[in-house]
Amino acid sequence: MRFGPLIDQLMEAFQCLPGVGPKSAQRMTLHLLERDRAGGELLARALERALARVGRCSRCRNLSEAQLCPICASDRRDHSVLCVVETPADVLAVEQAGGYAGLYFVLLGRLSPIDGIGPAELGLDLLAQRVRDEGVKEVILATNPTVEGEATAYFITEQLRGAGVAVSRIAHGVPLGGELEYVDGGTLQHAFQGRKPV
Amino acid sequence: MRFGPLIDQLMEAFQCLPGVGPKSAQRMTLHLLERDRAGGELLARALERALARVGRCSRCRNLSEAQLCPICASDRRDHSVLCVVETPADVLAVEQAGGYAGLYFVLLGRLSPIDGIGPAELGLDLLAQRVRDEGVKEVILATNPTVEGEATAYFITEQLRGAGVAVSRIAHGVPLGGELEYVDGGTLQHAFQGRKPV
């Protein structure tokens, strides 16, 4: 307690952010108090408002301020294609990459029985219902290429079998700009298995 | 705009923090909204309160919630020794190192004529007045060993000449645990010039 309890509490509070330890928290606190009080006030207000008003989209489970997120509510998107991802950050990554114009379904996790995360927690009944009721023609599985992500993709494939919908998995292989020499073995194996005739 | 304006504003607002770019800001926003809303609310409240109530100590110019900071207000500290530092972060560093029990004077900068920072901006009149009126016996100059920091230390030395106070400069040399091989030339030169008989 060198400056007083409020400053100490603020240094403590900053450590709830990912990647922020005691040193960074101290730097952030002193920076805002000494040099950028206006920015600090904006941050406090933005944080408060977002926490109060951001919930889930009732259709795709993504973070949203309204009952339907801007993507689900848009009539410029192709409502017959559904991309299944694990987290809202994955939605952002696909959107920032561009080129995809369908809708999303956010699992908010992956199948992980030890952590008590089963099909119900991932909203897979809602997914099946959307596929059934909304004229979905293709489901693209974009879960991560980890053991749990693959298991989740497999589970969803099985679940949607017979629903009359095309199910595909995004391609895994050598990333653009990657050099074979530096690519790991698993990725290379995937790249060979997933080869396409030219 | 993928999630909505509030979330975008929060991602924007996080970028006022030092060392936080668009990617980290996105990660922080999603982390708080998805996984740690309680932590986010604590942070918003701590930030608001600190910004509203933290000002300057009227005596040492350090960040403080009261008119006098806890260090200046303490009667366990030696009020006859004054350590002059550039920033509140320097006060924290000295306090965390331990072993110093005197008071501080925080310049909130260093002499830098191109940036319009002169003796008045650093509160050097307040420093001289404290030395004159408060029975200070020693002033320890702990400004940074940069060109501006050295110039500031020199200026204060000149200003306090004849005030009947001992003025000293902290030692610069090889850091503890440092190996000569990896220490830069300037530091080594200082270490030789500042050598002491054993």
Side-chain angles (χ1 to χ4, degrees):
Chain A
M1 215 267 275
R2 269 81 194 217
F3 293 151
L6 292 179
I7 301 181
D8 289 348
Q9 279 161 24
L10 184 53
M11 287 185 188
E12 188 68 36
F14 268 123
Q15 293 180 49
C16 75
L17 296 174
V20 175
K23 264 287 181 199
S24 309
Q26 177 184 315
R27 203 164 132 240
M28 290 171 170
T29 301
L30 295 180
H31 175 85
L32 289 186
L33 289 174
E34 280 182 77
R35 256 161 297 181
D36 193 8
R37 292 197 169 221
E41 263 154 36
L42 273 182
L43 175 57
R45 241 172 300 142
L47 192 50
E48 220 161 50
R49 268 186 311 201
L51 288 169
R53 294 202 224 144
V54 172
R56 297 280 171 203
C57 172
S58 63
R59 217 162 147 211
C60 73
R61 317 211 318 157
N62 198 358
L63 291 172
S64 171
E65 293 158 26
Q67 213 220 327
L68 279 189
C69 73
I71 295 174
C72 284
S74 167
D75 50 12
R76 292 194 178 179
R77 315 276 310 202
D78 182 350
H79 285 232
S80 71
V81 188
L82 218 55
C83 174
V84 178
V85 294
E86 294 182 14
T87 65
D90 296 335
V91 173
L92 269 190
V94 177
E95 287 293 297
Q96 277 159 8
Y100 176 70
L103 302 186
Y104 292 92
F105 188 83
V106 184
L107 300 172
L108 302 174
R110 63 215 84 171
L111 284 181
S112 179
I114 356 174
D115 303 318
I117 299 177
E121 281 71 28
L122 302 183
L124 293 188
D125 43 344
L126 180 60
L127 174 63
Q129 184 196 325
R130 274 186 75 181
V131 168
R132 209 169 46 231
D133 300 349
E134 294 179 14
V136 173
K137 296 202 186 97
E138 182 177 5
V139 171
I140 301 172
L141 300 173
T143 53
N144 289 320
T146 56
V147 175
E148 292 94 343
E150 293 290 356
T152 309
Y154 180 77
F155 189 95
I156 296 174
T157 311
E158 288 299 307
Q159 190 191 30
L160 296 181
R161 195 178 293 276
V165 65
V167 179
S168 60
R169 179 96 173 97
I170 55 167
H172 296 112
V174 179
L176 294 197
E179 297 187 50
L180 283 201
E181 190 180 346
Y182 301 113
V183 167
D184 67 293
T187 303
L188 261 186
Q189 277 185 21
H190 260 97
F192 272 86
Q193 283 159 16
R195 68 188 179 279
K196 283 196 235 168
V198 286
Chain B
M1 216 267 274
R2 268 80 194 218
F3 292 152
L6 291 179
I7 301 181
D8 290 349
Q9 278 161 24
L10 184 53
M11 287 185 188
E12 188 68 36
F14 268 123
Q15 294 180 48
C16 75
L17 297 173
V20 176
K23 263 286 179 199
S24 309
Q26 177 184 315
R27 204 164 132 239
M28 289 171 171
T29 301
L30 296 179
H31 174 86
L32 288 187
L33 288 174
E34 281 182 77
R35 257 162 297 181
D36 193 7
R37 292 196 170 223
E41 262 154 37
L42 273 183
L43 175 57
R45 239 172 303 142
L47 193 49
E48 220 161 51
R49 267 186 312 201
L51 287 169
R53 293 202 227 144
V54 172
R56 298 280 172 202
C57 172
S58 63
R59 216 163 147 213
C60 72
R61 316 214 316 161
N62 199 358
L63 291 171
S64 171
E65 292 157 26
Q67 212 220 327
L68 278 190
C69 73
I71 295 175
C72 284
S74 166
D75 50 11
R76 291 192 179 182
R77 315 275 310 201
D78 182 350
H79 286 232
S80 71
V81 188
L82 219 55
C83 174
V84 178
V85 295
E86 293 181 14
T87 65
D90 296 336
V91 173
L92 269 190
V94 176
E95 286 294 297
Q96 277 159 8
Y100 177 70
L103 303 185
Y104 292 93
F105 188 83
V106 185
L107 299 172
L108 302 173
R110 63 215 82 174
L111 284 182
S112 179
I114 356 174
D115 303 317
I117 299 176
E121 282 71 29
L122 302 183
L124 293 189
D125 44 345
L126 180 61
L127 175 63
Q129 183 196 325
R130 273 187 77 182
V131 168
R132 210 169 45 230
D133 300 351
E134 295 180 14
V136 174
K137 295 201 187 97
E138 182 176 5
V139 171
I140 301 173
L141 301 173
T143 54
N144 289 320
T146 56
V147 176
E148 292 94 344
E150 293 290 355
T152 309
Y154 180 77
F155 188 94
I156 297 173
T157 312
E158 289 299 306
Q159 191 191 30
L160 296 181
R161 196 179 291 278
V165 64
V167 179
S168 61
R169 179 96 174 97
I170 56 167
H172 296 112
V174 179
L176 294 197
E179 296 188 50
L180 283 201
E181 190 181 346
Y182 301 113
V183 167
D184 67 294
T187 303
L188 262 186
Q189 277 185 21
H190 261 97
F192 273 85
Q193 281 160 15
R195 69 189 180 277
K196 284 196 237 169
V198 287

